[in-house]
Amino acid sequence: MDRVALRGLKARGHHGVFPREREEGQTFIVDLVLGLDTRPAAADDDLAKTVHYGIVAEEVVAVVQGEPVDLIETLAERIAQACLKHEGVQEVEVCVHKPDAPITVPFDDVTVTITRSRA
């Protein structure tokens, strides 16, 4: 399976279990790896035979900016399901970063990574 990756998609969302997170929001960063067969698109040089990663990026940002959830695990699942709606995408790996998580000790990042497929 071939891979199309989008790294560092940034969007502001209001996800989290604490009232402050819901009220003020914070930046989330999303990395995606889409699994699909790119041979038909390459053979015909045809965008319609692959995934339009610009559209995927817009949809992912809309999910992050959309309805708040408590857990980034839930957010990752919603993003994965949006990606799998694209014809040809057989598998997706989603990594959601929450670099401003409310943690009381020094840290660089918090991530949740999931892999989902049509099967």
Side-chain angles (χ1 to χ4, degrees):
M1 194 170 309
D2 303 320
R3 303 276 184 240
V4 173
L6 289 91
R7 307 250 187 239
L9 295 171
K10 293 180 186 173
R12 191 160 186 83
H14 294 266
H15 311 289
V17 296
F18 297 112
R20 182 174 168 195
E21 294 178 290
R22 292 294 183 104
E23 293 165 10
E24 296 177 15
Q26 59 193 292
T27 299
F28 293 85
I29 302 166
V30 179
D31 300 324
L32 301 173
V33 180
L34 307 170
L36 64 153
D37 184 357
T38 64
R39 289 176 292 192
D44 294 336
D45 198 28
D46 186 351
L47 177 60
K49 294 183 178 180
T50 188
V51 64
H52 191 309
Y53 50 79
I55 291 173
V56 172
E58 291 171 358
E59 292 172 355
V60 168
V61 165
V63 171
V64 174
Q65 293 174 337
E67 181 184 348
V69 296
D70 288 344
L71 304 177
I72 58 175
E73 291 87 343
T74 306
L75 182 59
E77 184 67 34
R78 288 183 177 180
I79 292 167
Q81 293 310 313
C83 292
L84 289 171
K85 288 181 181 177
H86 288 268
E87 187 177 337
V89 175
Q90 298 300 308
E91 181 179 276
V92 61
E93 179 182 281
V94 177
C95 180
V96 176
H97 300 255
K98 190 175 180 181
D100 299 320
I103 297 175
T104 60
V105 297
F107 74 102
D108 288 330
D109 199 4
V110 172
T111 66
V112 168
T113 303
I114 65 171
T115 302
R116 298 294 182 264
S117 63
R118 292 185 185 274

